[in-house]
Amino acid sequence: MAYLNAFFCSLLLATSFILSGCGAKKDKNTQTDMEYKPGTFGYDLQWLSQHKEVIVLKSKDGKAQVAVCPSYQGRVMTSTSNGGSGYSFGWLNHELIASGKVLDHFNPIGGEERFWLGPEGGQFSIFFKPGSSFDFDNWYVPKQIDTEPFNTISTSSSEVVFEKDMELENYSKTIFKMGVKRAVRILDGKRASKLLNVDIPESLNWVGFETENTLTNKGSNAWDKASGMPSIWILSMLNPSPETAVIIPFKKGEEAELGKKVTDDYFGKVPADRLIVKEGVLFFKADGKKRSKIGISPKRALPIAGSYDATNGVLTIAQFTVSGNTTDYVNSLWEIQDETFAGDAVNAYNDGPLEDGSQLGPFYEIESSSPAAALAPGGQLVHVHRTYHFKGAKSDLNKLSATLLGVELDEVLSAL
């Protein structure tokens, strides 16, 4: 899909983290007036601020920044590890945002990390109306997680908190009254090192943020297997390159005990040259040129995944909640299902051309899901998803990859 290169002005709001309008921009780190190039965080921030309110969370030195939009369900739109002139990590659909259009089925505006709810398909789906057939003509993303804003409850330089009350009906005609609370926080070096249990090399530029997502049953009936149970679903849309691969470690063990290593046939089986499955880790090509998706079951899932973009020198780490107490995860297949709670805990998606030649992106996604929410009235489920981007010398990135993902970067590149 061709991008619309929107005209933009440069404007400084040096002391505020809520931005709007356009005008002259002064970079905080360099103290010089400048217009940012496409692909930089400064460019995307200035551009976004012409269309929507943007809340920017910043590290103390201003190098790490995270842009969040309340009107887009409190999603993280993009981030940077090196101020306004740094690389913009999130994929944005500039053309759709600039058009102001609201599409019927789904508004793929992009964003580096967004809140969704599952399941997508099956008899407990919240994306299909009761009695409809499971095809694209009947697939609609609920407006509460697609077009409606979240309410901003509090803001600071390092955190913003949102809330949203929703009422949704699933395919089996169960009404869910729910509350969503979403906190977005930028991480400092001390906390990030503790969470990852690793020393971050000082030579690297990096940014890290977490979202804490809470789902509350605000109805009078319990959510159970008979009527369906929703789940929290977090998706990250990132920029692909010809040399990008998703890296997912998983639990080793026999299939008789843990099941298959990976689900690789969501949109037809992934070609062998695009998915390499080894003992305890897989590599999935993320170049935005072949529509494909993979999934890891909760029995295999570990609380970490990542990607390496050799073209831009970026190591991305996703860290998330994985339940050790339940294997009931929602099944999103577009069909009446025999196993409605046999879904995946971790997914990755690579965008590519559709049958008619059109394409949403290109982008790729790293996704995590909570267990199915078996909640009594007033009960709550919390799912945390963290995103880290490291940029710098390959040797330093390699040390992090080996420690966090268990693989060296040359192994990733040679596999794909």
Side-chain angles (χ1 to χ4, degrees), residues 116-117 226 277 308 322 378 397:
W116 263 21
L117 294 164
V277 182
Y308 177 55
V322 171
L397 298 179

Side-chain angles (χ1 to χ4, degrees), residues 344-364:
D344 292 321
V346 184
N347 292 96
Y349 171 80
N350 184 50
D351 191 44
L354 302 172
E355 292 182 359
D356 63 2
S358 64
Q359 187 169 351
L360 292 176
F363 57 84
Y364 73 97

Side-chain angles (χ1 to χ4, degrees), residues 24-91:
K25 172 73 179 181
K26 183 181 289 289
D27 184 87
K28 180 179 179 180
N29 296 317
T30 63
Q31 296 299 311
T32 58
D33 294 321
M34 62 188 303
E35 290 188 353
Y36 296 108
K37 297 179 180 179
T40 64
F41 179 81
Y43 177 93
D44 280 341
L45 181 57
Q46 290 173 340
W47 186 88
L48 275 170
S49 299
Q50 297 179 61
H51 302 281
K52 297 291 180 179
E53 176 193 14
V54 184
I55 297 172
V56 179
L57 310 179
K58 295 183 180 182
S59 61
K60 289 183 178 180
D61 64 5
K63 293 179 68 175
Q65 299 187 34
V66 178
V68 188
C69 276
S71 57
Y72 289 143
Q73 305 80 51
R75 79 180 66 191
V76 175
M77 300 303 291
T78 189
S79 65
T80 181
S81 63
N82 196 27
S85 60
Y87 185 74
S88 185
F89 293 111
W91 177 79

